[in-house]
Amino acid sequence: MASAEVNGAVSHMTASAGQGTLASGAANRGVPVPESADRDALAPGAAVPESADWDALASGAAENREPILGAISHNPPMSGDRAGGASAEGEAAASAREAVADAVIRIEGLHKCYGAQEILKGIDLTVQRGEVVVILGPSGSGKSTLLRCVNRLEEATSGHIWFEDTEITDPSTKINKVREHVGMVFQSFNLFPHLTAKKNVMLAQEHVLKRPKEEAERVALEQLERVGLRERADYKPGQLSGGQQQRVAIARALAMDPHVMLFDEATSALDPELVRDVLDVMRSLASEGMTMMVVTHEMKFARDVADRVIFMDGGVIVEQGTPEDVFEHPQSDRTKDFLGHIA
Ligand SMILES: Nc1ncnc2c1ncn2[C@@H]1O[C@H](COP(=O)(O)OP(=O)(O)OP(=O)(O)O)[C@@H](O)[C@H]1O
Ligand SMILES: [Mg+2]
């Protein structure tokens, strides 16, 4: 079935948070959203099409207009020439193999076109395990498109993307299996408005990972604790602030034991006073060693937390390096101009 149809169904079932107005979404549109979140009521074939994308739905990936970010870490990026010209023998080759082995996301020669318009013009990027990669760039530079391609919410026009050993861009890859390990947090939270925070965090665990209810509940409470919301477990999204809803969305992603977390402007829809708590959660994830790709306009966060900062413009990576490299010694005029504008 066309993914658009699935995504359409999904987005009907999820609230469209926009500027923090999440609670008023799905149930008001005449869509048959069940009041109870139990397995049967939400089973494929009930309120959603048979091919409903449970991974996307339950992990919050339903909002396919949203981008995904990733994190990169301490090792040098592995781009198209990832072996760095090393021969099959010797230390260089061995270390290249090691780097590939520890890559969580590897992107080679990624192009994405919409019609005649080329949006991504050859992206090479590797995110190592434990890395926090922050992606910056002006509006329209392709940041969200890049993240969407990483999770195959958008199909690459050409090029290759791997998640660990699995080629995401191989049409035969079961993308839902991959998405089980890729946590996504978008600007809009896509929580089910009629379910409590705890139930929202349990849903994908039960439906996608097939965890027994008791285990899903235990994990949900652990993850809500992790984001500082244990005491709000029984609140529904409409009873939570935007920042709290976003933290529930993060807990939902974490409950799936992700190998990488992708954040696309996770704080952009929040009132300024609510941003800090969400960023604090992201900081603590980074300090715990979570591999993260983060698209953000929060420059302080980028400076403090990123292992690598990537500056994109016009569908290409213009420049990348440590936060100090990019912020203090930008090489490209485009980077300087961008940083000058946001300073
Ligand atoms: N489904 C689509 N069809 C056609 N064009 C699209 C589609 N999605 C994105 N684009 C175009 O691709 C370009 C890059 O969009 P993208 O959302 O990736 O930018 P971005 O860097 O995330 O910008 P922002 O900072 O505003 O979120 C834009 O010109 C946008 O209009
Ligand atoms: Mg974007």
Side-chain angles (χ1 to χ4, degrees):
M1 180 177 291
S3 62
E5 190 172 338
V6 172
N7 287 327
V10 162
S11 59
H12 276 118
M13 288 194 67
T14 53
S16 177
Q19 300 297 310
T21 55
L22 171 123
S24 61
N28 301 339
R29 297 187 200 147
V31 177
V33 178
E35 274 305 300
S36 72
D38 63 68
R39 184 181 303 256
D40 294 332
L42 282 174
V48 292
E50 277 176 28
S51 61
D53 185 339
W54 282 103
D55 299 272
L57 181 148
S59 63
E63 182 59 70
N64 75 346
R65 296 267 63 80
E66 301 287 51
I68 293 165
L69 290 196
I72 291 185
S73 59
H74 325 280
N75 298 325
M78 311 256 315
S79 59
D81 63 342
R82 66 186 182 280
S87 70
E89 303 297 327
E91 257 177 52
S95 89
R97 276 196 301 275
E98 215 169 86
V100 169
D102 214 23
V104 179
I105 301 288
R106 193 153 53 90
I107 301 170
E108 289 187 5
L110 175 63
H111 291 253
K112 174 65 185 176
C113 300
Y114 292 113
Q117 209 188 356
E118 191 176 32
I119 303 300
L120 297 179
K121 301 174 181 169
I123 301 284
D124 297 307
L125 172 62
T126 297
V127 180
Q128 301 290 347
R129 199 169 305 284
E131 250 190 328
V132 176
V133 173
V134 170
I135 302 171
L136 309 176
S139 182
S141 56
K143 306 179 301 294
S144 297
T145 303
L146 173 61
L147 289 186
R148 289 203 296 270
C149 286
V150 166
N151 222 12
R152 228 169 79 188
L153 292 171
E154 296 287 355
E155 300 286 345
T157 304
S158 66
H160 301 276
I161 304 173
W162 286 266
F163 167 73
E164 297 176 338
D165 294 332
T166 304
E167 185 180 349
I168 292 170
T169 37
D170 178 340
S172 66
T173 293
K174 291 188 167 37
I175 192 64
N176 285 348
K177 291 308 286 179
V178 173
R179 288 182 183 151
E180 286 176 16
H181 302 295
V182 179
M184 293 168 288
V185 178
F186 302 127
Q187 186 173 326
S188 49
F189 328 119
N190 297 317
L191 299 176
F192 285 96
H194 60 295
L195 301 181
T196 63
K198 182 177 77 179
K199 288 280 191 186
N200 267 288
V201 180
M202 289 171 65
L203 198 63
Q205 297 185 62
E206 293 180 274
H207 286 278
V208 178
L209 301 183
K210 309 294 180 201
R211 281 182 184 155
K213 187 175 176 213
E214 296 69 28
E215 185 186 352
E217 184 168 15
R218 179 180 55 74
V219 172
L221 293 173
E222 279 171 14
Q223 296 305 331
L224 287 168
E225 171 94 45
R226 194 173 176 188
V227 300
L229 288 174
R230 171 67 182 78
E231 77 287 359
R232 296 280 198 275
D234 295 322
Y235 286 47
K236 291 182 179 174
Q239 300 168 315
L240 298 171
S241 73
Q244 290 169 336
Q245 290 178 54
Q246 188 60 293
R247 285 187 280 150
V248 173
I250 293 172
R252 172 183 57 192
L254 294 174
M256 305 296 282
D257 301 327
H259 298 193
V260 58
M261 289 284 285
L262 308 179
F263 292 89
D264 191 355
E265 301 203 31
T267 58
S268 297
L270 302 176
D271 293 337
E273 68 271 23
L274 301 177
V275 167
R276 196 192 60 203
D277 289 342
V278 174
L279 290 180
D280 284 348
V281 167
M282 293 169 65
R283 280 173 200 271
S284 74
L285 287 179
S287 69
E288 289 165 21
M290 177 66 76
T291 309
M292 295 163 60
M293 289 183 75
V294 182
V295 172
T296 187
H297 295 297
E298 297 289 339
M299 294 302 140
K300 184 163 179 1
F301 176 88
R303 280 175 189 263
D304 294 351
V305 179
D307 295 304
R308 179 156 46 139
V309 173
I310 289 180
F311 174 67
M312 280 182 72
D313 193 13
V316 299
I317 294 176
V318 173
E319 181 163 353
Q320 60 181 306
T322 64
E324 190 186 347
D325 291 339
V326 174
F327 287 113
E328 310 303 336
H329 312 289
Q331 301 296 308
S332 153
D333 287 344
R334 283 197 275 175
T335 314
K336 289 176 196 164
D337 189 48
F338 176 77
L339 293 174
H341 276 100
I342 56 165

